[in-house]
């Protein structure tokens, strides 16, 4: 995160790193907190609100302590806070 903030031109590398970290975490059933939110933010910066919302919803589902923040972000983007499986 710090390296990306210092060199935003490396955005593609950072995005790929996040996607790979999420894939590794899913394989172990242990995705680190914040990865989905960070990837969602990158999608949002690219103008892909739908993908951003999906990632924010996934962050919310995996880490309930993030629900208040993720809900506010999702609602500002016009998305529903309900995640797959009907969890709120």
């Amino acid at each position: 995160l710090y390296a990306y903030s210092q060199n935003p031109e490396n955005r593609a590398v950072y995005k790929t790193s996040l996607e790979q970290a999420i894939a590794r975490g899913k394989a172990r059933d242990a995705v680190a907190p914040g990865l989905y939110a960070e990837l969602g933010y990158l999608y949002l910066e690219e103008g892909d609100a739908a993908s951003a919302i999906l990632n924010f919803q996934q962050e919310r589902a995996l880490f309930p302590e993030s629900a208040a923040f993720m809900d506010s972000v999702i609602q500002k983007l016009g998305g529903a806070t309900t995640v797959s499986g009907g969890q709120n």
Side-chain angles (χ1 to χ4, degrees), residues 1-14:
L1 180 59
Y2 178 77
Y4 169 68
S5 71
Q6 297 303 304
N7 298 298
E9 65 276 2
N10 293 334
R11 167 188 206 65
V13 173
Y14 182 54

Side-chain angles (χ1 to χ4, degrees), residues 3-4 13 18 22-24 26 30 36 49 58 62 68 77 80:
Y4 169 68
V13 173
L18 285 172
I22 289 170
R24 286 190 305 271
K26 286 170 81 172
Y36 279 107
Q58 189 63 33
L62 290 175
L77 294 173

Side-chain angles (χ1 to χ4, degrees), residues 7-88:
N7 298 298
E9 65 276 2
N10 293 334
R11 167 188 206 65
V13 173
Y14 182 54
K15 184 177 176 185
T16 300
S17 295
L18 285 172
E19 291 168 339
Q20 291 172 345
I22 289 170
R24 286 190 305 271
K26 286 170 81 172
R28 296 186 334 248
D29 197 29
V31 176
L35 292 182
Y36 279 107
E38 188 66 22
L39 184 57
Y41 180 70
L42 289 180
Y43 279 118
L44 190 58
E45 284 186 330
E46 293 173 353
D48 186 353
S51 292
I53 289 170
L54 289 174
N55 280 277
F56 295 151
Q57 288 173 331
Q58 189 63 33
E59 180 76 20
R60 183 190 187 286
L62 290 175
F63 306 101
E65 62 275 16
S66 72
F69 179 66
M70 289 290 97
D71 286 350
S72 69
V73 172
I74 293 165
Q75 288 172 353
K76 285 180 183 176
L77 294 173
T81 58
T82 302
V83 294
S84 61
Q87 300 173 359
N88 285 2

